[in-house]
Amino acid sequence: MAVENVIWPRYIDASVSREDGRRVPLDDAVDDPTVDEIAQAVQQIGYDAVIERDVTHPREWDARGRVLVKGAEDSTKNDLVQAVAAYVGILRD
């Protein structure tokens, strides 16, 4: 069975505190990340990404969506989120 990791935009959003769900250091976080940027970063890392646009994180009111990462059995969720944040930062430069 394939492992599916879920990455919500709030995991790498600089405006979200660690207490409210940010999973990366503030230096690695980005302002208002989109699911499109996250999916592009996931593909750059070498995994398949599926965007679900009409879902809302339990701590949010607006549906910002989420990205399902398929085939990431060889990576921990924390490592995956850190790499995605780094790539989104690179994509914006």
Side-chain angles (χ1 to χ4, degrees):
M1 186 170 140
V3 172
E4 258 185 20
N5 280 301
V6 176
I7 300 181
W8 296 93
R10 75 182 298 111
Y11 288 176
I12 64 170
D13 193 333
S15 68
V16 175
S17 69
R18 284 279 198 164
E19 186 177 276
D20 286 334
R22 181 171 40 86
R23 291 188 170 215
V24 298
L26 195 53
D27 292 343
D28 296 336
V30 295
D31 291 322
D32 200 28
T34 66
V35 289
D36 294 312
E37 290 174 317
I38 293 169
Q40 188 176 357
V42 166
Q43 291 168 342
Q44 289 287 325
I45 297 167
Y47 301 116
D48 292 328
V50 176
I51 297 173
E52 293 183 337
R53 294 185 189 280
D54 296 328
V55 290
T56 305
H57 188 277
R59 290 188 177 184
E60 294 182 344
W61 293 99
D62 296 328
R64 295 203 297 172
R66 67 181 180 185
V67 177
L68 301 179
V69 181
K70 297 184 179 282
E73 298 89 7
D74 60 343
S75 179
T76 66
K77 182 159 187 165
N78 190 49
D79 289 343
L80 183 63
V81 172
Q82 294 278 347
V84 165
Y87 268 97
V88 170
I90 290 169
L91 291 171
R92 287 189 172 187
D93 286 341

